[in-house]
Structure formats: C-alpha cells, structure tokens
Amino acid sequence: MTEETNKEPPLYYRYWGKAKPDAEGAGPAYHLLPFHCLDVAAVADVWLYRSNSLRRRFTDITGLSNERTRAWLLFFIALHDYGKFDLRFQRKAGEAWKRVNPELSAVQAQLRGDEIKNYYHGPAGLYWFCQDLTQRFSFGESDFCFDDNDDWNAWCSWLAPVVGHHGIVPESHIKDTFEYDLCLSDELKTAFKQSRLQWLQMLERLFLQSAGIALSDNPPELKTGNNKQTPATMLAGFCSVCDWLGSSERFDYDDKPYDDFDSLQHWYVKRLTLAETALIDAGIISQIKSYRSVDVLLDHGNKPRQVQCLVDSLSVTPGLTIIEASTGSGKTETALAYAWRHLALGLADSIVFALPTQATANAMLSRLEKAAPLLFANQTNVVLAHGRAKYQQNFIDLMQACQPKTAQGHEEAWVQCGNWLAQSRKRVFLGQIGVCTVDQMLVSVLPVKHKFVRGFGIGRSVLIVDEVHAYDSYMYGLLEAVLEQQRLAGGSAILLSATLPFEQKRQLARAWNCDLPDENNRYPLISHCRDGRAEFFDLSAMPQQQPKPTAVTIELLKRPDLLPDDELFQRLLDAVEQGAQVCLVCNLVAVAQQFYQVLLQRIQQSQTLNEEQILLFHSRFIFADRQKKEQTVLEWFGPDSAERRNTGHLLIATQVVEQSLDLDFDWLITQLCPVDLLFQRMGRLHRHAKNQSRRPVGFTEPVCTVLLPENIDYDLHALIYGNSRVLWRTQQLLEQAEREDGSRLTFPNIYRDWIESVYNEESRDGEPEAVTKSFEAYKDACYTSRMLAKQLINSSMHELSDNDSNVSALTRDGDMNLNILPFYLDAQGRRYLLNGDCLDDLDDSRLAEALNLNTVAVPHSWANRDRLPKTDQDGLIRLQLQQQDAGGFIASHGPDIYHYHADTGLIRIETPKENA
C-alpha cells in the first residue's frame, strides 16, 4: 500500500476529530481528525521519552527493541480513533461535517437519529479495520476466520485496547458482535474506506518505516494472562490517559490540512512541546531523586532497625516482596525505601499504597507527605483517595477544564476525563504517590468501565499493600488477579503484615507464579519472589538488629456475650481519672455505640471527668466527621501526643484501630477476636518508648484485658470472622498461657507458633463438634467466595458501575456493601447533605465527590425485609432525616428509627419483627 500523490491534500483531512458548537454565528470550530490522533500520539511519545519505567514495561511486553516498541505503540495509538472515519460519527456535529467535507456531506444518505446517537466509534474502529483488510486476514478466498488466525490475533491484541480507550475493550470476534455497515451509496463507502487506508499509509511513514517496519509486518501478539477480559491493560490504560490529555484545551484546534509529508511531520514535532506541557501540568511526569538510604526516611536521630536494615540487601528487580515484621517495627519505611530504589532505577514511576480502611489511608497520608519531597524533585501529587483536596489541585484543575461542552457531548475524551476524576478515589492512580483503600485497587480487575486506567496506574507503580492478612477469601481472589496483572505488566508489589499465616503467604506467592518452600520460618522475614523462585532475607547475620522481646500481660475475663460488666466499666473510668490512655475495642459497631453512650452518661455524672476525655471511633460516619475523629485519635494517642498525655483519655473503637494506625495505649481491653487481629490490637500497647516516663502508676507494664465468652457460643462474633474455630483456638491458647506462662505473652517469639496453630487446617483432638462444623462450613464458603471472585473477573459484563458507592459491593463478599446517603430538607424544601452541601446547587463535577464524602457504609443485613429505601441508580440508599435541636438527625423508615450525630455516627434502633 502506497499513498497516492496529488496536489490535493490527502482524503483523511476531510474529517473532523473534535468539534465545538457554533460560536456567535462564526460556525463550528473543529480539529481535523489526523491532527487529534497525532496530538494523542505526541503525548504518548513524550511520556515514553520521559519515563524509563514505561519504556521498560512495554519493551518487556513486546519483546522488541526500544525503537520498534515505540514505533508500534505510536502507530496504534494514532489509530485509536479509526472508527471516526464513519458517516455516523461525522454527523454527530453536522455543521462541522458540512464545512470540513462539503462534497461528501452533499451526498444523500438517510440516517436515523438513533443510528447517529448510538454509534460508538471505539468498537467500530476494530470493525472497520477488519473490513478494510479482510483480504489480508482471510485464508485464501474463504471468509474471514477469527479462530486460529495468528495474523488477526496479533493485530487485534494491539488494536482492541487502543480503540477501547473510551472505557470498554471490544471482543476480537467483532464480526459476530457489531454490524456497522449501513446501506450507503458505493460512493460514500469507497470514500470512507480510501480515507482510512490512506491514513494507515501515512502512519506507516510517520512511525513504522524509520524503525524498519512495514504494514505488511505483524506486530508481536500481546499476551494477557489468565484474565481474558482485560487484554493488554497497560496499553489500554496508556492510550486512554494519553487521549484524555491529548484532548485537552492545551492543544489548539487546527483546520488547515497539509499536502505533503514533510509539513505534517514538522507539525507533529511542534506538538511534542504542547504534549510535554500537558503532561507536566497534569502532574503525570516527575523527576525522581537518587536513592540515598532508608535513614533519610526516618525521624531525625533515628537509625535503621530490624527489617529496615535489610533494604539495601534486597534484589532491585521486578517482583513480589512480602515483608513480615511485628507491629511498630518500621515496615512502612522499609517498603518506601525499597520502592524508592525501584523508582531511582527507572523500574517504576510512582507508588500506590493500598490500606484496609479509610482511617488507615488517612493516617498514612501525613507520613507520605513527609516522604514525597525526599523521593521526588518536583512538586509532587500526593493523592489521597478521598478528601484533602489541596493535595490534588492539578487533578481538580483538570476536572474543571473539562466543563466546556463539546459537539460530541459525553463521548468527548476530555469530558470523560473530568467525569472519571470527579471521584477523588480514582485520582490516586495518576499521581506520584497515591493512597487508597484496598477496594479501589481490587476493582482494577473487575469488568467496570475504564478499569484499565486503574490497572495502568498500578502497573506503572510500585504497589504496596498493607495489612495483607486482613482480607477475606473473596478479596483474596481479587488480590491474586491484581498480582498476576502486576506481574504481567512487569511491575512490582510489596505486601506488609505482622501476622500472615503461611498458607495465605503461599497463596499470594503462587499468584506471582512462585512456589514457596516450607523452610525458613524465621521472624522477621522478607521474601522476594521473581522468575518463579523465592529468595529469603532475615536478620540472622545481624543479631544486634533482632527485635528485643517484649512481654504483654494478659487478663482474661469471662463475661456473657463478651460484654463488660459494671465493675469493668468503673475500672475503665478509674484508669482515665488516674491519667491513663485506655482503649476498649469492640467487634461490632452497634456494641461500641452502646458502650459509648453508657460510659458517656457515667462521665456526665462524674465530678472528676468530663466529656472531652471520651471518644467513639468506628467506620459509620460521613467522611468529614470521621476525619475529625481520626485527627483527635492521633492527637490523643499518636506519636506526637506527649502534651496530651497529662490527661487520661478513653477511646471506644472497633477494628479501625487494629491496623496501620500508629497509636499508643497504656491499657487495652478487647473482645475476643482471631489471634492475628488480637496481636495487631496488642501492638498498640506501649508502642512509643518515649512515653514510658509518662505512664501513670499501675500502667507501667503493658496489659491487655481480653473478654471471653462463658461458653463456646460465639454468636455474631463468629459470623464476623467467618467461623468459630479461629476464636475457639485463640481462646485455648490464651487460657493455656494464663495457666502455664504466668499470663505473659512474649513477642515476637509467639507470632509464628500461635498464628500457625490457629490457622492450620488440620483438625485437632478435643475440638468441639460445633467448632468443627463451623470451620467446614467456612471452608465451603471460602471456596464459593473465591469462585465468585474469579467468575466476576472473567465475566463478559461491561456495564458494572464504577462509581465509588458500588465499588465496596463489587470488592467485598456481602460484608459492608450498602451505602446510605443521609440528607435533610431545609425550610424551603432544598436537599442538604450532612456536611452542609446543598445537593440542588452541585454541578456534575462536584456532585460525585460530594456523594462520596457523605455516604455511610452499613451491613447488607440492614436491608432485610425492606427495612431501608431501595438502592438508586448510583448505588446509594437515600435516607431523608430531620434535624434535631441537639445537632443530630433522626428518621423513621418502616419499623426502625435511625439517628445520626457527629459524636456517635449512624445508629439504627431496630424494632423486633414481632412488634413491627
């Protein structure tokens, strides 16, 4: 195929790629389709040049040289809008079509409005490419055949991801799926086909020939792993983000065609400058500082300790790294230093830090804000996956710039960019350091629109997942797919845990295509998996860095339903009066709310305590209130809380305090929970040595009081943790320690033995039948959950909502998968959210974020028997409340009463069914 030469500009200049509505009678402004395609290619070109990591990723994927990889990438990215060479797309902006191509626009063609409206140029591009080159991909004179067609599979593995840039990658069997060929005149059909083929020839000259490639050559087929519904995630995400940036108003419109190759090539070189500015303005590209040492990340005067001393010994190669070390041992700084080594060597561009809860994500943000200037030389986008907008100004500017309407409406890439970024949880995937909850990471492997942007953002990053033991079987099924995707992208992942059972660890390693041997049970331990083999790093050669044994005294109290009695409540208040920092951890939010109200009432009746000394902390608050709670928790119990420790405080909390939060308590009281979580909770006892001199008399040694049941009926507690066996075995170990070891637990010595003892799947003599049956049912449920996860990953569905209200439902197995949106009406009937935003005043760019910040996650069981309003199209349950004088809100729905207050969060007072 060779380009025809004539004095007239080539045919591909007779099409618009972007258009604006008429402006004051001056006619529509339009950007020629070839120019827009090359704008997007220019963004990709500059990004590749500026990112060693992306170049390496794509050369690893293709198996080609840098030069040939770049050539194929730019060639295909410039083809991303191949489907716009179609009458239905051109008629989306009819006036622009008349101006850019008056000859063809005058040809009669009857098109219905729905044929224009429902034309999607992404999958259509794959269809037209197939039709235009049918002879090439057919076997002899037979019909086009998809099965066992190596040529088509190679081309489609590249083309499908780039034409899917608007959110959904089309299937390769497009002939069976799409019918785009209209009953048009031969003149129109021929004109469009010739234009498309001429465009292919021009792109061959622009990008392929200089690398010694011709259109007659096949690109290398991009392999996609086991997940057939996410082909070439890196390419799809890369193209989509390049399209967003290349569609921004940074790129001025150009409607003047060129009649020779040199002029177009010169025009393209000039656009590279605009592309670089667009990337810098978006905060996408950055300058990484040279790695120095882990010391730089530590507080002034602190030296590396424990696993931090192993950072410089680790292999700096793409792989899976699992860091096992006790709470408070510096795992976060170890992971950041190791990630920094990857960044400095061009193995990654950014860091995505995933944590189990919003509270832990919020707490991590301040630590990463301090680290960011040490790792990056330029202004850094440290992006939290909800709120804290001042750290996301570049992305907010992008979002606001997307507001001008275009002729294409919501199909326009820049509008899609704004809509996607309007939910701040997604912005983490395009910053230099992103902090998110784990569900935002897991959804990157689910069939939602633009999932590949998340996958690409993770793939270009070092992925760090904290508290990796804290997820259920369903989430593990998703996490394994994330790890496989990261491995196939040539990326790296770092997993952190103090209490990871060996079988879970082995399961994670297998997701990285690595089998772990049974040996090397040292602790602390770092395991590094790459190329199917594992390396282990421990402190045996550095005994001086071995963690010093610490002892925690346990007090076991058997109480009905694991509930404190009046005596224990009084002990708590007496301890606070003595100046102790006390935490009571409950397994259920409703129980924590109940205890808080009981203790608050007692404090109000006290002559020596005041309401400012007690706090309730759980997950059932709107974001603004939860953020205030988190800040207070850190002020009272965090690493900089010394001045506050002159006064005693009492925290009533749920599991939100057991993971990743750097808190220090003098006395901990907890309901029985599985051993690994119990150790996590105990890790908040006497955490900061600098506070030792401030501990009141009677609390100079760490004590953990554990509430046990009076019998083996663990009731809702077993439901929370999946089975009663982990609770029963944990209780047996605690009671044995009380009998044999003087009620003292020595860390880290017991980590391995106790955790493996509780989680070993072998049955044990003496286990009650009810406990055994509970575990067997749990195993079956785990298998079902894992299969559900894999089934959803491989589902052919593409319309699952990507709004954040739906993400928790997609990534959790029926646990916290309802999102309530409380609101109230003012005197004029206007709808207000609890943070004060008026729903009726919010435009599209602000609405998504406002909804995210005002939802409350509740258990799925709350919807039983239609006790809540129906879920709306946004995945939200809208609950109308009434304001109360005391600053709270109340609602009645069905038989139940709902209260919300900034102090207590959302409370449901349930009416028993027989009284309803």
Side-chain angles (χ1 to χ4, degrees), residues 198-271:
Q198 282 192 16
W199 182 230
L200 280 174
Q201 296 160 17
M202 174 53 75
L203 294 181
E204 177 188 33
R205 293 186 65 187
L206 270 174
F207 299 122
L208 297 184
Q209 287 183 356
S210 60
I213 304 171
L215 276 173
S216 57
D217 298 325
N218 282 340
E221 183 176 350
L222 300 182
K223 303 299 182 182
T224 61
N226 295 329
N227 187 354
K228 297 179 181 178
Q229 298 303 325
T230 54
T233 293
M234 289 295 288
L235 177 56
F238 183 53
C239 182
S240 188
V241 178
C242 289
D243 185 42
W244 290 350
L245 297 177
S247 300
S248 71
E249 293 188 343
R250 171 69 63 186
F251 293 86
D252 54 302
Y253 280 16
D254 197 337
D255 59 3
K256 296 177 175 59
Y258 296 101
D259 57 7
D260 64 275
F261 173 79
D262 290 340
S263 298
L264 180 60
Q265 192 173 44
H266 180 69
W267 179 91
Y268 174 76
V269 170
K270 290 194 296 183
R271 302 300 268 195

Side-chain angles (χ1 to χ4, degrees), residues 483-589:
L483 292 177
E484 182 197 33
Q485 182 170 272
Q486 187 75 344
R487 175 175 61 83
L488 292 172
S492 293
I494 305 173
L495 311 181
L496 311 181
S497 178
T499 54
L500 185 63
F502 181 74
E503 282 306 315
Q504 284 187 329
K505 179 179 172 181
R506 173 172 278 173
Q507 185 178 320
L508 293 167
R510 284 173 178 163
W512 206 271
N513 197 29
C514 181
D515 283 319
L516 293 181
D518 293 331
E519 68 266 15
N520 205 330
N521 290 319
R522 292 182 180 275
Y523 190 95
L525 180 68
I526 298 180
S527 308
H528 181 65
C529 302
R530 64 185 179 97
D531 301 329
R533 66 181 188 274
E535 295 179 274
F536 301 98
F537 302 84
D538 58 44
L539 295 171
S540 56
M542 292 182 284
Q544 72 279 9
Q545 294 298 341
Q546 289 281 0
K548 295 180 180 179
T550 59
V552 174
T553 299
I554 55 170
E555 176 191 31
L556 305 182
L557 300 178
K558 288 192 175 182
R559 297 290 185 270
D561 299 320
L562 285 73
L563 300 178
D565 55 16
D566 287 343
E567 179 185 354
L568 184 56
F569 277 143
Q570 189 58 49
R571 285 179 58 192
L572 294 178
L573 298 179
D574 291 344
V576 174
E577 188 172 351
Q578 288 178 251
Q581 312 303 317
V582 183
C583 180
L584 170 60
V585 186
C586 307
N587 295 332
L588 293 163
V589 173

